[in-house]
Amino acid sequence: MNRFLIGFVIGVALFHLLDQLPGLTWLSVALTFPLLWRFKPLRPLLAIAAGAGWSLLNASLILHHQLPLKLERSDLILEGVVDSLPVTQGRLSRFQMRVTSLHDENDELVDISRVQISWFGATKELSIGDVWRFKVRLIRPRGAQNPAGFDHEKWLFMQQIQAKGYVRDWAGNSQLDSDQFPTLLGLLRQNIAKAIDNATDKPGPAALLKALAVGDKRGMDRQAWQTFTHTGTNHLIAISGLHIGLVAGWCLFIGSWLWRRSARLCLRLPALKAGAVFALLGAAVYAALAGFTLPTQRALIMLVATLGALLLGYRIQFGRSLLIALFLVVLLDPLAILSRGFWLSFTAVAVILWSIGGRLAPWQNWRQGIQVQLSVSLGLLPLLILFFSQISLISPLVNLLMVPWFSLVIVPMTLIGLPLLAVPALADPWFSLLQMLSAATLMLLEWCSLQTFAMTDLVQQDLLLLWFLLAGCVILLLPAGMPGRGLGLLLCAPILFASAERPAKGEIWFTLLDVGQGLACVVETSNHLLLYDTGPGQGDRTAADSVIMPFLRFRGHRKIDKLIVSNGDRDHAGGVESLTQSIPISQLLAGDPEMIHGVAEACQAGSEWHWDGVHFQILHPAANTEFNDRNNRSCVLKIESEDWTILLPGDIEQAAEDALLRANPQQLRSDLVVAPHHGSSSSSTAEFVTAVDPQWVLFSTGYKNSYGFPKPEVVQRWQAQGAGLLNTAQSGAIEFRLGVDEMKPQPRLYRELNQRFWHQGDGGSGNHLRSE
């Protein structure tokens, strides 16, 4: 039985490594499984095939009902039910809807079941269970694709989102009377979150309490997430096995104690078994309040397997319970295996069980607590490096203090306070105390996170080094007294001394990151780093946090030698403030220095510098010229090595292009150029295109963007010049490694290199504009 469970999980995991979705005809193979099951040697393979087949069926039901390509960006009439906690930032609200009907302009029904909607200027506060009719424009699930960046398409796939879009202005946008029973659980969670906001007056503590009470983390700002990440305490604010186990333990203790007060009840059912029933009920209620997230599912399933065995009188085997929980989670939701939390959660529980010998026994002493915490930190180390390229050095010490503090004080007091919310006279003093304790907790965590040794970044790792690290951690986790444990340290050591791959002297590594409708270019030489533009951003949602910083950590960069912000528009400068708070920046240049947060020097034509055999020169704007249009004040940068040239013109339009042509048309000649103003028809004049004459022209645009960039006439001009065309909207991040001896530069297209079957839609298969 265990082999089948393990094989099934392996099959689910292997299936999600496929780059293309197999045809449904493969499911017919499953009909032969019962006939082959009699052959014992084949059973492990059949279990793997069963897991893969189950995943194929589940994925097909989601992907085969995505929005048809022909309906992208067309007006559609949507009726549906809000079924997620709305996220509001300023006047913008984002939420998910369960679709009841979707009609195109011909009033034909579109078969789709779940969408993600953005509504700017919402006319009413949204609540879970509300039924609305909207005019919308939708696209297929789409997201940026970058090395080490957040895979938004995978997240949308995991949420079973089949389209995303925004609400259009329309007189018919209206809330409808619901014929369906409201989503009571979702409404309860939303109302509890509002009540906590009303009972507290500080956003930080309120966000923490909402996260612990109902799993609502919408109020966590960027600084709070950074604090929890640097201290390795993210798991404390995500309702998980720790919290579910705590509630179950308290319910078991209290339920058993109350049951023992009645001799008659004890004759009918032993107090321990009655306490187990209370524990399961309490854990189920808390998991429901958390929205039945993946960690709560895993913890609840483990409790059912463990306490169920107790109720039925079977021997408790925690290793078997963990395996059953693993199997049931992927059986109920095969997409759960795509979550980093899935692997971190199950690995942490497995390490804990290993460290205590898989036995439920009274806690011995504080040394055992330290041993368990160190074991978990060590056991999760390979996954943390693989997933995040950084580790918290202060995490074991902080968790040693914070785990009991949250377990014995913050979480119990929060849950005890929930019933009090119905009586404001009782809730106010209770939550005032909780707010004070939470604020002190956050202050202590923030102080810890600011220590220089709190977090360390690790460069992109060779898979061989990660295997060495994994083997070393396993050896170090062996029981004390086992011979050869010192070998574990030797196997772990190489990853600490690994250095990042860097260009040779005279080489240029150029990466155009996929930031949607915006721009961010990374230029690497052997010892220096230049960042040209920071992508779009607003509030806590910036490309700097989700794309640029993960990429720089992945490449092992700990500072930016020069940041150039071509102009002050949000799609180019949206991440400046975030970057200045996240990484040291030696020099900041800007086309609109007065619009940039912090101290920025003005770009001026004629400025030049040399790095590692590579020459950099600013071509525009000249000191004696003025342009009314901010786009034409963009900072234009030329990069030259011995063999290759790159031109970065920002958002310049015809007036600036003409000025450059008058100054010196020969200096515009380049092998690579990022198309001015994302391919706008106001840029890339015929004369400018002829003067640049590139081998490759790169467009940085959002998928099916509302501007229609790049414009067809602009594409035709560059193609007529003989240039190869690439667009981040289709290719994801684009990288060129321009070596000294390379005859013709060839791009590395991240969407092609990282293709998975859920990367669907126009261009989702890796197709891109190319004319050579």
Side-chain angles (χ1 to χ4, degrees):
M1 183 62 177
N2 288 351
R3 292 181 180 179
F4 175 80
L5 300 182
I6 294 173
F8 187 91
V9 174
I10 291 174
V12 172
L14 292 177
F15 175 83
H16 288 94
L17 296 177
L18 296 177
D19 58 356
Q20 297 292 335
L21 188 69
L24 284 173
T25 54
W26 282 96
L27 288 177
S28 60
V29 178
L31 298 176
T32 64
F33 290 176
L35 300 176
L36 299 174
W37 189 255
R38 57 187 295 186
F39 301 102
K40 289 186 177 181
L42 294 178
R43 288 182 181 177
L45 293 178
L46 293 177
I48 293 174
W54 177 243
S55 300
L56 171 60
L57 178 61
N58 182 78
S60 298
L61 291 175
I62 300 172
L63 296 178
H64 287 176
H65 293 282
Q66 285 187 339
L67 183 75
L69 284 170
K70 65 180 181 180
L71 295 180
E72 288 190 305
R73 292 293 184 188
S74 62
D75 287 339
L76 306 170
I77 303 302
L78 165 69
E79 292 185 11
V81 183
V82 177
D83 69 347
S84 72
L85 293 172
V87 177
T88 301
Q89 288 185 320
R91 298 184 62 198
L92 179 66
S93 296
R94 292 186 178 88
F95 51 94
Q96 296 173 9
M97 295 187 74
R98 187 174 68 254
V99 178
T100 54
S101 69
L102 182 67
H103 291 86
D104 63 14
E105 293 175 318
N106 299 319
D107 203 32
E108 294 184 2
L109 187 65
V110 182
D111 184 15
I112 198 169
S113 60
R114 190 170 172 81
V115 296
Q116 178 173 282
I117 298 296
S118 298
W119 189 6
F120 185 79
T123 58
K124 183 180 177 182
E125 183 180 3
L126 296 162
S127 297
I128 292 180
D130 287 349
V131 180
W132 283 84
R133 178 190 290 122
F134 294 126
K135 177 181 281 189
V136 297
R137 283 189 178 176
L138 303 175
I139 61 173
R140 292 163 73 104
R142 196 72 173 185
Q145 290 292 303
N146 296 280
F150 177 67
D151 190 343
H152 189 61
E153 285 182 48
K154 181 173 74 172
W155 184 86
L156 292 170
F157 176 58
M158 292 169 61
Q159 301 297 313
Q160 302 186 29
I161 301 296
Q162 295 163 325
K164 67 174 187 174
Y166 61 93
V167 176
R168 297 266 288 160
D169 288 335
W170 180 49
N173 291 337
S174 58
Q175 186 174 0
L176 307 177
D177 293 332
S178 176
D179 295 329
Q180 306 178 33
F181 193 68
T183 311
L184 290 181
L185 178 59
L187 283 173
L188 177 62
R189 296 179 64 217
Q190 188 168 353
N191 289 335
I192 289 175
K194 290 180 180 178
I196 291 176
D197 280 330
N198 293 333
T200 54
D201 56 10
K202 293 183 179 180
L208 175 60
L209 296 177
K210 288 188 293 184
L212 296 176
V214 292
D216 179 7
K217 296 186 283 291
R218 294 175 298 168
M220 292 287 180
D221 59 18
R222 176 180 174 274
Q223 182 178 354
W225 281 118
Q226 191 174 60
T227 295
F228 288 115
T229 299
H230 284 192
T231 55
T233 51
N234 304 67
H235 64 101
L236 294 178
I237 57 169
I239 300 176
S240 60
L242 173 67
H243 308 75
I244 298 295
L246 174 67
V247 170
W250 278 111
C251 290
L252 177 65
F253 173 76
I254 295 173
S256 300
W257 183 84
L258 290 174
W259 200 264
R260 290 190 183 96
R261 301 308 98 191
S262 171
R264 182 176 298 179
L265 291 177
C266 289
L267 289 174
R268 292 180 177 273
L269 183 69
L272 183 59
K273 290 188 177 182
V277 174
F278 282 109
L280 288 174
L281 290 175
V285 169
Y286 193 25
L289 287 177
F292 286 114
T293 58
L294 175 62
T296 61
Q297 290 178 34
R298 185 264 303 160
L300 196 57
I301 291 172
M302 282 198 67
L303 277 173
V304 170
T306 304
L307 297 181
L310 174 64
L311 289 171
L312 296 174
Y314 294 120
R315 181 183 175 187
I316 301 174
Q317 296 179 336
F318 290 102
R320 181 70 176 273
S321 298
L322 179 64
L323 181 57
I324 292 174
L326 183 66
F327 168 74
L328 290 177
V329 166
V330 297
L331 179 67
L332 295 173
D333 182 14
L335 304 184
I337 209 161
L338 294 174
S339 168
R340 292 171 174 176
F342 172 91
W343 297 100
L344 293 171
S345 178
F346 276 100
T347 301
V349 175
V351 172
I352 290 173
L353 292 177
W354 175 267
S355 65
I356 63 176
R359 299 183 301 275
L360 183 62
W363 204 257
Q364 295 175 4
N365 51 49
W366 60 271
R367 291 187 180 87
Q368 187 179 18
I370 295 177
Q371 177 188 344
V372 170
Q373 183 58 54
L374 292 176
S375 296
V376 171
S377 299
L378 184 62
L380 294 180
L381 185 60
L383 290 178
L384 293 174
I385 294 175
L386 177 64
F387 292 154
F388 307 110
S389 296
Q390 52 182 183
I391 54 174
S392 173
L393 300 179
I394 204 172
S395 173
L397 181 60
V398 173
N399 275 282
L400 197 62
L401 174 64
M402 286 297 164
V403 168
W405 174 249
F406 272 74
S407 301
L408 301 177
V409 180
I410 300 295
V411 174
M413 288 186 64
T414 301
L415 297 181
I416 292 172
L418 296 186
L420 302 180
L421 290 171
V423 185
L426 297 176
D428 290 345
W430 185 266
F431 276 90
S432 294
L433 176 61
L434 258 178
Q435 178 175 265
M436 181 182 67
L437 296 175
S438 300
T441 301
L442 292 173
M443 287 179 60
L444 177 59
L445 287 173
E446 184 176 357
W447 179 84
C448 292
S449 71
L450 294 176
Q451 304 309 305
T452 55
F453 55 87
M455 175 69 72
T456 184
D457 296 333
L458 296 172
V459 301
Q460 62 188 74
Q461 299 297 333
D462 184 272
L463 284 178
L464 181 60
L465 289 180
L466 287 174
W467 279 112
F468 279 149
L469 177 65
L470 178 61
C473 290
V474 170
I475 292 174
L476 289 172
L477 287 172
L478 291 174
M482 291 287 292
R485 291 182 73 201
L487 178 62
L489 292 175
L490 294 178
L491 292 174
C492 292
I495 205 163
L496 299 176
F497 301 99
S499 57
E501 187 181 7
R502 289 284 184 265
K505 186 174 182 179
E507 288 187 349
I508 306 171
W509 288 4
F510 175 81
T511 305
L512 178 61
L513 294 173
D514 180 10
V515 293
Q517 190 60 39
L519 185 64
C521 309
V522 178
V523 182
E524 298 171 88
T525 65
S526 57
N527 294 300
H528 293 85
L529 171 73
L530 180 142
L531 177 64
Y532 184 92
D533 282 342
T534 65
Q538 182 177 12
D540 291 331
R541 298 173 61 90
T542 70
D545 290 324
S546 61
V547 176
I548 298 174
M549 283 306 303
F551 178 80
L552 296 184
R553 285 194 294 265
F554 179 69
R555 286 289 177 87
H557 293 290
R558 300 180 185 273
K559 71 170 184 174
I560 297 173
D561 294 293
K562 198 179 296 287
L563 170 60
I564 297 178
V565 182
S566 64
N567 64 79
D569 287 345
R570 185 176 295 170
D571 59 333
H572 294 255
V576 173
E577 183 174 356
S578 177
L579 279 174
T580 55
Q581 296 173 3
S582 303
I583 188 171
I585 300 173
S586 300
Q587 186 180 20
L588 173 57
L589 302 177
D592 292 315
E594 68 280 359
M595 296 184 62
I596 303 303
H597 172 80
V599 179
E601 303 174 35
C603 282
Q604 282 203 348
S607 300
E608 57 184 332
W609 64 95
H610 289 81
W611 284 347
D612 312 314
V614 179
H615 178 239
F616 296 79
Q617 183 179 6
I618 293 176
L619 306 182
H620 181 84
N624 57 350
T625 59
E626 292 186 3
F627 295 93
N628 293 326
D629 190 330
R630 184 163 57 236
N631 286 338
N632 284 318
R633 297 199 295 269
S634 291
C635 189
V636 178
L637 178 67
K638 177 96 178 267
I639 308 170
E640 297 178 87
S641 67
E642 185 176 342
D643 300 305
W644 306 107
T645 52
I646 302 173
L647 184 65
L648 305 179
D651 274 352
I652 61 170
E653 298 178 340
Q654 182 174 353
E657 291 180 357
D658 290 345
L660 286 166
L661 289 168
R662 289 193 300 270
N664 186 356
Q666 286 75 28
Q667 70 180 356
L668 297 177
R669 169 71 183 88
S670 301
D671 298 295
L672 268 68
V673 61
V674 175
H677 202 186
H678 316 283
S680 166
S681 57
S682 60
S683 306
S684 299
T685 62
E687 295 79 6
F688 182 81
V689 169
T690 301
V692 177
D693 190 25
Q695 295 187 41
W696 292 97
V697 58
L698 314 181
F699 297 94
S700 181
T701 69
Y703 177 73
K704 295 291 180 75
N705 62 86
S706 58
Y707 304 101
F709 294 159
K711 295 295 185 179
E713 60 270 27
V714 171
V715 171
Q716 291 173 5
R717 286 183 207 135
W718 290 110
Q719 286 178 331
Q721 192 65 28
L725 274 61
L726 295 171
N727 191 343
T728 57
Q730 280 77 44
S731 302
I734 304 167
E735 180 183 7
F736 282 89
R737 296 193 172 185
L738 305 176
V740 175
D741 299 325
E742 191 172 0
M743 298 300 296
K744 185 175 183 179
Q746 291 299 319
R748 300 183 180 193
L749 310 180
Y750 187 73
R751 189 173 284 274
E752 284 187 356
L753 297 174
N754 194 50
Q755 177 68 23
R756 292 293 183 269
F757 66 81
W758 56 81
H759 294 155
Q760 299 292 321
D762 181 22
S765 61
N767 297 328
H768 45 272
L769 296 170
R770 180 179 286 186
S771 176
E772 300 180 65

